[in-house]
Structure formats: C-alpha cells, structure tokens
Amino acid sequence: MQFDNVVIIEDNHRNYYPLSISTPLSDLIIGGLRYYEHVALWLMNLGYDVNIYVVTRDYLARYWQGIADSILSKLNLKYSVRYIHNIEDISGTTLWIYTSLIPQIDVLNKLIVNTRTEAEIKCNDKVLLSITNGRETGAKDVINNCDLPVANGIWSIIKWNTELLRSNSKYLVKIIGDKTVDSDVSSNAIIDERAGNVIAINTIIEPLTYIKGPSLLGPGSRVLPHAYIREGTVLYMNNAVGGEVKNSIVDMHSLKEHFSYLGDSYVGRWVNIGAGSVTSNLKNTIGIIRYMGIDTGMIKLGSIIGDWVKVGINTSIMSGKYIGQGSSVIGLIRKDVPPFSMCVNNDCERFRIEKVVEVYRRFVELRRVHANENEEALIKAVYEASLHEPPP
C-alpha cells in the first residue's frame, strides 16, 4: 500500500513525565533510535519516500527541530520530518501512527499488508494506527487487536527497549551495510554478539571493555576501559561511559564516565552522572515497581533522569524514581524529584532558571561544543511548563 504522508501522534504524554515536558514522544529513544527514526527506517526498507509529520505541543514544535540531531541524519540517510502543532496542512492518503504502538518493523510490515484504507486498529479504547484519505484521523472500519506491542508509559520504553533493539537492528544494518561504521574498536575489547548485534557508528571502544549485544553505540561516543556494557545499552550520540550499564538509554551529550551502575534506566540530554552513583532497579522484596503511583507490572525498573540533570558523586537513586529536568541531586534519593530542584537527599529547593542556564553553558563549554540558542529557549519554556504541568 502506498500513502502520501505518515503522521506520528503523541498518545498519553502525561504517562511519560517528566521526559515528555522537554521531548516530543516521537523523539524519545527506544531500541537504539528515536521513535520516528524507526518509522523512517521502516519506510526506507520499503523504498517509500513520504513526508513524516510529528504532531506535538506548541512550544516543542517551535524549538525541537533546531536541537536534537539523529543517528539516521549522521549516516546521511535521506528522510523528511516536520514538527507541527496541528494537522491543517496534511492532505492525501495518510498513515497515522500513535506512539502507544511500539515501532517494531516486523509488526508494521504485517499491519500495512493487512490494513485497508479507512481502517483503524485499536486495543480497546486506545487507537494504535489508522489509514485515511484526508486529514481526519478517524476511520470507518475499526479493528480491535490487543496482541500488538503497546506502550502505556515511560516504563514501557524500558520494558521493550532490548527486544526492539534486537528485532529492528537487522533493518538498520541492511541500510548502512555493516555493524561497525567508521569506529575504532580496540583489539583487546570483547564483543559478545550471541544474543544480538553490537552496532558501533563512529564510536571509540577502548581496551579491556566487554560489550554484549544487542547494543548500539552511536556517533561520537566512547566506551572507556574496563566498562561492562550489557544487553540493551544505547549510547545515542556524543556520550562517554564507564562502569556497568544494562538495558539503559543515554541521550545526546550525557556522561557516565566513572565506575558505577546504570540499569533499566533512561538518561536525557546534557546529563552528568558522578563517580560512584548508582540506580537501583530491583526492590529488596523483588516486588512490582510503581512509577508515579502506577503499577508497571515490572520487577526491574531503574531511574528516569531528565535533560540537563547533574547527579553528584556517590548518589543512590531508588527504583522507579524520576529526576526532573535541570535538577541537581546528591545523596540518597528515595522520592521523585520535581523539575528544576536542588536536592541533598530529598531535602529540595527550587533551582533558579538563570542558574540552570548558567550550568548548561558551563557543561557545553566542558564538552567543547557551542551553546544552542534553541536549547536555552527550550530550557526556559520547560521551566515555565513545569510550573503549570504538575506530575500526573
């Protein structure tokens, strides 16, 4: 089936708090790539050249395009994505994909073969995908299918990350031609691909590291000596990592250089994790972990760490807790930390926006890159949003 547009629609963004107030759901990373990149990769493998639109909140639509790079663009792969606040300019046959649908390419291939125009696929009351001839998202033929991989919140990204990385990596390798691209891999590094591909793109892997697949090590990243990189690890771009990492996603320009443990966690952009800091991903009771009071059904869930966060040395973050954007924390973190907080243990006070921007500029200088005006504007917009959008 051919279509003119693909539109990705954010679904239930409140369950992705706090990451969702600074990142469109389409740009959260799962399985090694941003959500929309999986869709673009799928279209490339089909040989389709269509417009991809992302419908998101107004302030994110304004600032995001000038901030976040992508692995596919670094590989010089051609695709088009636009961030919009409404769908008035969209016409023609359109495939609507809701972010509650995990973008597993094998699943998308089956759905597109078996779905007619003017059809809508749902799981109970949750719309997952539809095909229409106009800008209206509704369709006449409704199909209920709850056997599809579905995301219910940020915890689902952690739940599905390793499996999606394993299943979709073969499509990425097919497009780029190799698992190792422009990378410097030490002969003393151990690469274990018995459980999945280890993809390295313009990455430095230093001596005496152990890397298990599936994992993806993105452009400008470094794996430091003696690091233990376990299955499901994603270093998206310009990261440096040491110690132990397992089933965790690290977004652009973030560092975890020292010996510590990061497990079943999500780390946003421009984050620094100090030496000896640990994310707990398992309760002593081996019980189900709740996130923002919601039963995740998971016994392993680490930390959700927002953009621009700084984690001090020897900090311990308890299972299923989040650190909101722009916060600075140290000590034992037993409760969720609101965005833009300064915390010693869980004794917190509000971080002034001027100081947050100043810390961002210092970190940019430390990383030897240039500050981004859109990034600074986004920090201020997210600060305002955090005042008016409390946790669910």
Side-chain angles (χ1 to χ4, degrees):
M1 175 181 290
Q2 185 67 54
F3 30 81
D4 302 305
N5 314 290
V6 175
V7 180
I8 301 172
I9 297 181
E10 292 186 320
D11 192 15
N12 196 17
H13 73 269
R14 297 283 284 153
N15 276 5
Y16 296 80
Y17 189 92
L19 298 183
S20 56
I21 62 172
S22 61
T23 304
L25 299 193
S26 62
D27 286 65
L28 291 178
I29 299 165
I30 179 172
L33 301 174
R34 302 196 186 280
Y35 187 103
Y36 81 82
E37 287 184 282
H38 288 287
V39 175
L41 182 63
W42 170 55
L43 295 171
M44 291 175 195
N45 275 273
L46 290 176
Y48 288 5
D49 182 14
V50 301
N51 300 313
I52 301 174
Y53 295 91
V54 168
V55 182
T56 187
R57 286 142 287 154
D58 181 58
Y59 69 94
L60 292 176
R62 275 185 280 128
Y63 297 123
W64 186 256
Q65 189 120 23
I67 291 175
D69 214 334
S70 75
I71 286 178
L72 296 189
S73 65
K74 287 291 187 181
L75 289 165
N76 296 317
L77 299 175
K78 294 182 179 180
Y79 64 93
S80 170
V81 60
R82 283 183 56 198
Y83 297 84
I84 58 176
H85 182 52
N86 58 63
I87 57 175
E88 292 178 357
D89 296 333
I90 297 172
S91 61
T93 303
T94 300
L95 173 67
W96 308 83
I97 301 176
Y98 293 75
T99 54
S100 289
L101 179 65
I102 299 295
Q104 200 164 24
I105 292 178
D106 290 336
V107 170
L108 291 172
N109 283 335
K110 292 177 183 177
L111 289 177
I112 206 65
V113 167
N114 297 320
T115 304
R116 301 182 299 277
T117 304
E118 302 298 332
E120 180 178 83
I121 298 174
K122 303 177 69 174
C123 175
N124 298 324
D125 61 347
K126 190 187 295 288
V127 180
L128 302 176
L129 180 145
S130 65
I131 303 175
T132 66
N133 279 320
R135 67 170 63 98
E136 297 299 324
T137 58
K140 299 174 183 177
D141 185 13
V142 178
I143 303 166
N144 195 66
N145 185 350
C146 290
D147 293 328
L148 298 173
V150 171
N152 296 307
I154 188 63
W155 57 90
S156 298
I157 286 184
I158 303 304
K159 175 183 177 180
W160 286 100
N161 176 59
T162 298
E163 182 175 338
L164 186 66
L165 180 54
R166 182 179 291 113
S167 64
N168 279 9
S169 64
K170 61 179 178 286
Y171 293 99
L172 180 59
V173 172
K174 178 181 176 182
I175 289 292
I176 64 178
D178 201 349
K179 291 180 287 187
T180 303
V181 178
D182 297 330
S183 294
D184 182 1
V185 182
S186 169
S187 60
N188 291 321
I190 297 175
I191 308 296
D192 181 351
E193 295 187 298
R194 288 174 295 177
N197 291 328
V198 174
I199 298 176
I201 302 168
N202 191 22
T203 294
I204 297 172
I205 300 175
E206 299 197 5
L208 306 177
T209 57
Y210 190 155
I211 303 174
K212 296 177 69 174
S215 58
L216 188 146
L217 314 173
S221 294
R222 292 174 60 218
V223 181
L224 303 177
H226 303 285
Y228 181 24
I229 304 301
R230 296 172 59 186
E231 65 281 0
T233 295
V234 177
L235 308 183
Y236 189 74
M237 193 178 298
N238 298 326
N239 310 114
V241 166
E244 182 179 356
V245 184
K246 174 246 180 186
N247 187 36
S248 293
I249 296 159
V250 184
D251 206 340
M252 296 173 58
H253 302 296
S254 291
L255 306 177
K256 191 197 83 72
E257 296 181 289
H258 307 285
F259 287 101
S260 56
Y261 177 67
L262 182 70
D264 298 288
S265 296
Y266 195 113
V267 177
R269 297 173 300 111
W270 298 105
V271 173
N272 189 64
I273 298 177
S277 294
V278 172
T279 58
S280 168
N281 64 341
L282 181 69
K283 296 169 68 172
N284 281 351
T285 61
I286 324 298
I288 299 297
I289 296 172
R290 300 176 71 83
Y291 185 80
M292 299 190 303
I294 301 171
D295 186 335
T296 66
M298 300 165 63
I299 65 169
K300 288 195 174 183
L301 178 63
S303 305
I304 305 300
I305 301 176
D307 298 331
W308 319 301
V309 165
K310 304 298 177 282
V311 179
I313 63 169
N314 296 321
T315 295
S316 297
I317 308 172
M318 294 297 98
S319 308
K321 303 305 176 189
Y322 68 73
I323 312 295
Q325 284 88 342
S327 293
S328 178
V329 299
I330 191 167
L332 176 60
I333 307 301
R334 300 176 61 194
K335 299 178 181 178
D336 293 327
V337 173
F340 305 103
S341 300
M342 294 182 64
C343 302
V344 178
N345 299 317
N346 277 113
D347 182 12
C348 302
E349 60 183 56
R350 188 77 174 174
F351 213 167
R352 292 184 296 108
I353 183 59
E354 297 82 4
K355 192 66 175 178
V356 176
V357 173
E358 181 183 339
V359 171
Y360 161 71
R361 291 172 178 169
R362 289 174 180 172
F363 195 50
V364 165
E365 185 177 354
L366 179 70
R367 300 301 324 274
R368 298 180 181 177
V369 294
H370 297 293
N372 186 314
E373 291 182 0
N374 282 335
E375 187 87 46
E376 293 188 11
L378 180 64
I379 293 172
K380 295 173 183 177
V382 172
Y383 190 90
E384 288 300 314
S386 71
L387 297 176
H388 307 293
E389 186 176 333

